[in-house]
Amino acid sequence: DPKIIQKPKYLVAVTGSEKILICEQYLGHNAMYWYRQSAKKPLEFMFSYSYQKLMDNQTASSRFQPQSSKKNHLDLQITALKPDDSATYFCASSQMGVQDTQYFGPGTRLLVL
Amino acid sequence: GEQVEQLPSILRVQEGSSASINCSYEDSASNYFPWYKQEPGENPKLIIDIRSNMERKQIQELIVLLDKKAKRFSLHITDTQPGDSAMYFCAAPYGSSGNKLIFGIGTLLSVKP
């Protein structure tokens, strides 16, 4: 059984639209993260959350907003989508923080046309 | 800056030989250095990590060395097999509280039979 679920697996969006990427983890972890992977930037840190609180972020654009409704959920809302946002978005989690083993979800492959 | 330099970007070796990947970081406060393996179409998976209280760690054919003074760490795969062919990423924590994991650009390892 997958311990980190990401939905959807594939997503096609039009420029200017808004999408929400879903992430749920069933590992009992307290920290969750978002990363982006594209040909231009192989594995790029976006956000880290611990106990549902933002710990750090690397994303300059406010178009990317994490949402944590429960401790084991960390969704990513992306507004005003651009073709440059096309990438695979990975959710990850770890027991307490960045210095614990991070387990990655299967990813959501986003294509913005 | 917040960078992890990783070299080489492409590494081709013969089956049975050794492969070495080198990384360097900038933040002397970094104290946790994981290595991830990613196969095509898959998510990154942790293969080995080392903390700053160690200089060497080995798990089967994987050896990690850490030189804190030089701010360098390396992965050595001994007796490589075709199944070792994949993308490998090193990483180090950054940020005021070390709450972001910054990845190197990746090394594409190809093991020829």
Side-chain angles (χ1 to χ4, degrees):
Chain A
D1 291 334
K3 300 296 186 184
I4 301 180
I5 296 171
Q6 287 190 245
K7 299 176 189 174
K9 186 173 182 179
Y10 299 100
L11 186 56
V12 180
V14 295
T15 296
S17 67
E18 172 183 315
K19 293 294 180 186
I20 294 179
L21 310 185
I22 305 294
C23 179
E24 307 170 9
Q25 56 91 3
Y26 296 93
L27 293 165
H29 289 166
N30 299 302
M32 296 184 72
Y33 315 87
W34 277 103
Y35 293 88
R36 175 169 55 192
Q37 186 172 43
S38 65
K40 294 179 183 178
K41 293 186 180 180
L43 256 179
E44 181 186 11
F45 169 86
M46 297 182 74
F47 298 97
S48 60
Y49 268 66
S50 180
Y51 291 95
Q52 295 184 266
K53 291 184 180 178
L54 177 68
M55 300 304 291
D56 212 331
N57 76 79
Q58 188 92 329
T59 305
S61 174
S62 60
R63 296 187 298 107
F64 295 84
Q65 290 292 329
Q67 299 171 345
S68 181
S69 59
K70 299 179 187 178
K71 193 179 88 169
N72 68 328
H73 283 229
L74 187 64
D75 300 336
L76 182 65
Q77 179 185 40
I78 314 174
T79 58
L81 278 161
K82 302 177 180 180
D84 266 358
D85 297 331
S86 298
T88 297
Y89 290 80
F90 287 105
C91 172
S93 71
S94 68
Q95 186 61 49
M96 293 296 292
V98 159
Q99 302 186 33
D100 294 318
T101 301
Q102 289 190 30
Y103 296 88
F104 281 72
T108 291
R109 288 156 182 78
L110 173 64
L111 176 63
V112 183
L113 302 175
Chain B
E2 297 177 338
Q3 289 188 66
V4 176
E5 186 175 356
Q6 181 173 349
L7 292 169
S9 55
I10 299 174
L11 181 57
R12 296 187 179 94
V13 300
Q14 207 68 34
E15 181 179 356
S17 65
S18 296
S20 296
I21 304 171
N22 299 293
C23 290
S24 61
Y25 58 99
E26 298 173 353
D27 188 351
S28 56
S30 295
N31 57 6
Y32 172 68
F33 307 93
W35 286 89
Y36 283 82
K37 177 182 180 181
Q38 186 178 25
E39 304 197 54
E42 299 290 319
N43 54 0
K45 293 179 175 63
L46 181 81
I47 53 172
I48 191 170
D49 57 15
I50 190 167
R51 297 185 186 275
S52 58
N53 59 351
M54 299 175 74
E55 295 180 347
R56 183 181 190 278
K57 182 174 181 178
Q58 181 168 0
I59 298 176
Q60 297 180 333
E61 80 280 7
L62 304 175
I63 300 171
V64 174
L65 302 176
L66 173 61
D67 182 342
K68 287 176 288 184
K69 279 188 178 179
K71 298 181 191 173
R72 291 178 187 165
F73 57 113
S74 56
L75 173 68
H76 305 272
I77 307 174
T78 61
D79 189 23
T80 53
Q81 300 299 312
D84 294 325
S85 297
M87 198 75 171
Y88 290 80
F89 294 95
C90 62
Y94 276 91
S96 56
S97 302
N99 285 314
K100 60 175 89 171
L101 197 61
I102 303 298
F103 283 80
I105 199 167
T107 296
L108 181 60
L109 173 65
S110 174
V111 180
K112 296 185 177 181

